[in-house]
Amino acid sequence: SYVPKGWCIVQGEAGPSLAPFRSEEGTAQGDVAGPAAYCAGTTDTVNAIDRLLVEHGGGLRGGMDDGCLFGPKAEVFAALLQYQQTCRGDGEELRPDKCEVYCPELGARLVDAPEMAPFITVGPDGSRSLRGVKVQPSGLVVYGVPIGEADFIRSSVSALVDEAVADLEETGRRLVDVDHQALFTLIKFCLNP
């Protein structure tokens, strides 16, 4: 069955029913239903933006409640603005402060590219930005994978490895005095080649 835009299924005493839905805050961090609700509400928009970018050799890939737009600079930002406007009509508010952009060709100078002029905003202090989207000069991490210059990738992977090793050490500390069988199983079958 299809749930119309702006509505959700509510489980009540008399069974499931449709109710109007609008979320200004989204879901709590870690709420397992959050990404599913986001995907259900934005699938049509994501597919339309992807088709638009494919015409220019780019695309939009979504993972849970994150998205990655890629392609020519001006087309990506035009698509981002279209996505923002369409989603606003669906009750979602895109947060530019949580968005990042990386341009291998220009790095931090992306704000100076002539084709980006329609997307530039100037702050009270004269600083220029791309509608509040943070320009990353040497790369960014997409779905846990660093993309960009070699030094950025090396430092990002190093930080990921340090975090993973710290997690393993903490797991060992927690299990060593509690459950030797679980710790042995983890070490033997998950960590040893």
Side-chain angles (χ1 to χ4, degrees), residues 170-182:
E170 178 64 22
T171 300
R173 277 193 295 277
R174 289 182 178 196
L175 290 176
V176 74
D177 294 327
V178 177
D179 191 336
H180 280 180
Q181 184 176 5

Side-chain angles (χ1 to χ4, degrees), residues 2-13:
Y2 175 75
V3 178
K5 274 188 179 180
W7 292 78
C8 68
I9 299 174
V10 176
Q11 182 65 43
E13 290 181 23

Side-chain angles (χ1 to χ4, degrees), residues 17-136:
S17 63
L18 287 176
F21 177 76
R22 185 167 177 88
S23 173
E24 299 295 328
E25 296 298 321
T27 59
Q29 183 69 30
D31 184 343
V32 295
Y38 178 83
C39 290
T42 61
T43 298
D44 292 343
T45 303
V46 165
N47 289 337
I49 298 298
D50 181 55
R51 285 190 299 273
L52 177 72
L53 287 170
V54 164
E55 293 175 14
H56 302 283
L60 188 161
R61 298 296 175 265
M64 301 301 280
D65 56 353
D66 290 329
C68 175
L69 288 78
F70 56 95
K73 300 177 283 294
E75 282 76 9
V76 164
F77 267 84
L80 180 64
L81 293 178
Q82 182 177 337
Y83 178 84
Q84 183 178 29
Q85 291 167 345
T86 303
C87 287
R88 188 173 287 144
D90 294 340
E92 176 194 1
E93 191 61 42
L94 182 70
R95 296 205 30 213
D97 62 307
K98 292 182 79 174
C99 298
E100 297 176 315
V101 62
Y102 168 63
C103 177
E105 173 191 359
L106 298 173
R109 296 186 333 272
L110 180 61
V111 295
D112 299 326
E115 64 268 35
M116 301 310 290
F119 311 108
I120 299 294
T121 54
V122 180
D125 61 353
S127 64
R128 297 160 36 92
S129 75
L130 294 171
R131 306 265 176 129
V133 173
K134 184 173 183 178
V135 177
Q136 296 292 1

